Amino acid sequence: AQTVTQSQPEMSVQEAETVTLSCTYDTSESDYYLFWYKQPPSRQMILVIRQEAYKQQNATENRFSVNFQKAAKSFSLKISDSQLGDAAMYFCAYRSGEFGNEKLTFGTGTRLTIIP
Amino acid sequence: DAGVIQSPRHEVTEMGQEVTLRCKPISGHDYLFWYRQTMMRGLELLIYFNNNVPIDDSGMPEDRFSAKMPNASFSTLKIQPSEPRDSAVYFCASTLRPGPYEQYFGPGTRLTVT
């Protein structure tokens, strides 16, 4: 079974600075998808960014980018120019590339605090 | 589109009572998921449907839990009888197709069993 590990329960960053959240996963599959979801205090789960394992290029979405290291099974999220609205729980998630297996496996989350 | 709709947003009930949580997925989405979030266990998938058919219910904790999807626009998660350890936030999510596509989450139902 796949597992997702987020080793940083809490992180904090000064507003406008850059922060990196870590995520590692364990799988024997070669085809899979990785996601970062954000959960603000409203508890709504919002997709931040996604990465297909077959793509070598790291995904980027505006201020959010990932460092995907397939061999190391690492998938970190970098947030540039941090803003107060970025304060939230961030969850890393894994989905198998196997057709018909749609299960999302989540990590335990990292609580990000933005310091004004 | 209104997004995934869940009701109620909050539910407080006494141990032993039946609880029914409801979900309306985004129109046209073929997949529907039920998740549970607790401090102890984090976010875990309970069950998911494809075209109204349950595909994987291995995450359903025990026989007290049941889920149905009678049509493409409605699903229920029922707990009978409820226990205090069922207290959690229950999320419903839907997606159009498999693979890298985003699962859209509803706002969740916070269930408290006293």
Side-chain angles (χ1 to χ4, degrees), chain B residues 93-112:
Chain B
S94 71
T95 190
L96 179 60
R97 57 177 66 94
Y101 297 95
E102 176 180 359
Q103 288 185 17
Y104 292 84
F105 282 74
T109 295
R110 179 177 293 280
L111 173 64
T112 302

Side-chain angles (χ1 to χ4, degrees), chain A residues 33 35 37 39 42-48 50-52 54 89 91 95-96 99-108 111, chain B residues 9-10 31 33 35 37 43-45 48 55-56 58 89 91 95 97-110:
Chain A
Y33 309 96
F35 305 82
Y37 276 86
Q39 187 178 39
S42 66
R43 78 174 181 235
Q44 179 76 49
M45 295 288 288
I46 303 164
L47 179 68
V48 175
R50 83 194 84 192
Q51 175 82 42
E52 290 95 326
Y54 66 85
M89 283 289 289
F91 293 94
R95 185 192 301 169
S96 169
F99 181 79
N101 184 356
E102 298 307 310
K103 179 179 179 178
L104 263 182
T105 300
F106 286 90
T108 52
R111 182 175 301 280
Chain B
R9 292 294 305 276
H10 304 273
Y31 289 81
F33 305 82
Y35 290 90
Q37 185 177 32
L43 267 161
E44 51 185 345
L45 177 67
Y48 78 89
I55 303 300
D56 184 350
S58 60
V89 178
F91 287 99
T95 190
R97 57 177 66 94
Y101 297 95
E102 176 180 359
Q103 288 185 17
Y104 292 84
F105 282 74
T109 295
R110 179 177 293 280

Side-chain angles (χ1 to χ4, degrees), chain A residues 47-113:
Chain A
L47 179 68
V48 175
I49 198 165
R50 83 194 84 192
Q51 175 82 42
E52 290 95 326
Y54 66 85
K55 289 187 177 179
Q56 293 185 336
Q57 187 172 7
N58 289 324
T60 63
E61 288 287 344
N62 300 313
R63 298 182 295 108
F64 299 87
S65 62
V66 299
N67 183 4
F68 174 48
Q69 301 290 328
K70 191 172 184 179
K73 297 179 182 176
S74 171
F75 183 60
S76 60
L77 175 68
K78 186 172 83 171
I79 306 173
S80 303
D81 185 25
S82 298
Q83 300 176 359
L84 294 178
D86 296 333
M89 283 289 289
Y90 286 81
F91 293 94
C92 179
Y94 173 102
R95 185 192 301 169
S96 169
E98 178 187 4
F99 181 79
N101 184 356
E102 298 307 310
K103 179 179 179 178
L104 263 182
T105 300
F106 286 90
T108 52
T110 297
R111 182 175 301 280
L112 179 65
T113 300

